[in-house]
Amino acid sequence: MYSVLRSILFCLPAETSHNLSLGSVWLMQKLGLSRLFAKPMVSSPLTVMGIEFPNAVGLAAGLDKDAKYINGLSALGFGFIEVGTVTPKAQAGNPQPRMFRLPEAEAIINRMGFNNLGLEHLLEQVKASGFKGVLGINIGKNKDTPAEHAVDDYLIGLRAVYSFASYVTVNLSSPNTPGLRDLQFGQPLIDLLAALKKAQLELAEKYGRYVPMAVKIAPDMAEDDIRRVAEVFVEQGIDGVIATNTTIARDAVAGLRHCDEMGGLSGLPVRDSSTTVIRILADALQGRLPIIGVGGISDGASAVEKIAAGASLVQIYTGFIYRGPALIAEAANAIANRDAA
């Protein structure tokens, strides 16, 4: 059924079909029809970052930026949903077109630019949803906020979403906000995380509840940089790392239509680089904090590959667009069966 729907949607511009698909997910949930697309999966709860997840497969940030579709997406079988990236102020993002399919490679290039309706709107949606599952909220900085003041935006975001989130993700790795990736390195990273950690502990005391904080990194780092970042995460008391965001590399899609579009590349072409980052992180961290693996997961085998490399959980996005809801159960069952073996 999904393959027929996809063939229709893929006739439309990528962002148009993206919005129509999410609207359909919302409508199916309202009509009680999500079960027509959701596939059976084994019960496979696990605890990561002190949180119990129904299964190991989550939705990566970026699909539901404004938290409009939490219940509909959850009804498809995701073990957890991550919404955002949300910025303190609403922003339109980059001019359209800004999303491009590369179907031959089961890939997408996007330069959305953190388009979202802002913190206040996102939190209204979260409250209205009444969602009781595991919810990650991904925070970022506004495009017009200078890098030297980025910490202010992240602190605003953390304080606003803290009491609504199961965990908070600090997005330092989108290639579509100028200067953002520079925050992943050296003293800027240390200063940012130190400020966020201080605020996190203050919020935990205020609300009587500790909400874990993860950092999302890029797949385009050298091995030495990955290892240094891992040590900083441990030193600063970060609770988890999400590896990885989209890549700026184009070698894997050279010659394909849209391959030269600016933005971040996701899907199958980032599978190997993401897994390599996870493997290096796992070696550097030695279990001191968990890894959430994302990038190029298109079937059960590629989900298990991330777990074998050192991830505790996985997230999907582009594979979900190409494969549909069946991928959720396939990945969750493959991971559960591996763990049971």
Side-chain angles (χ1 to χ4, degrees), residues 83-279:
V83 297
T85 298
V86 63
T87 53
K89 298 178 293 185
Q91 58 182 30
N94 292 319
Q96 297 186 32
R98 54 193 179 182
M99 181 184 287
F100 307 89
R101 300 187 203 95
L102 291 76
E104 305 93 331
E106 291 190 28
I108 290 173
I109 292 174
N110 91 81
R111 52 171 179 264
M112 304 299 284
F114 286 177
N115 58 306
N116 72 103
L117 296 174
L119 272 169
E120 184 176 343
H121 182 270
L122 180 138
L123 294 178
E124 288 173 356
Q125 298 298 310
V126 171
K127 286 184 281 189
S129 74
F131 184 60
K132 301 301 182 185
V134 179
L135 179 67
I137 303 183
N138 185 303
I139 59 174
K141 81 172 191 71
N142 280 109
K143 183 177 181 179
D144 60 1
T145 300
E148 59 269 25
H149 297 302
V151 64
D152 298 332
D153 278 12
Y154 285 104
L155 286 170
I156 291 169
L158 177 62
R159 289 169 178 147
V161 308
Y162 188 90
S163 63
F164 299 93
S166 304
Y167 69 91
V168 178
T169 298
V170 180
N171 188 348
L172 302 178
S173 49
S174 170
N176 301 318
T177 296
L180 187 72
R181 285 188 169 194
D182 295 340
L183 297 173
Q184 296 178 111
F185 304 101
Q187 199 60 43
L189 176 65
I190 293 170
D191 293 344
L192 174 66
L193 296 185
L196 288 171
K197 187 66 187 182
K198 181 175 182 290
Q200 179 196 31
L201 295 176
E202 291 170 350
L203 289 162
E205 184 173 352
K206 175 181 178 180
Y207 290 103
R209 170 175 167 256
Y210 183 84
V211 176
M213 184 167 57
V215 178
K216 189 167 187 176
I217 65 170
D220 306 308
M221 291 185 183
E223 179 172 345
D224 287 347
D225 289 329
I226 297 169
R227 292 183 179 277
R228 278 194 288 268
V229 162
E231 290 304 319
V232 170
F233 291 163
V234 172
E235 290 165 3
Q236 297 300 324
I238 300 305
D239 301 291
V241 54
I242 300 181
T244 62
N245 212 316
T246 56
T247 181
I248 56 175
R250 293 292 187 271
D251 295 348
V253 295
L256 298 182
R257 184 170 181 248
H258 298 312
C259 70
D260 293 326
E261 293 288 348
M262 297 294 291
L265 172 69
S266 62
L268 280 183
V270 80
R271 173 177 171 176
D272 290 344
S273 57
S274 167
T275 303
T276 297
V277 172
I278 292 167
R279 191 172 291 115

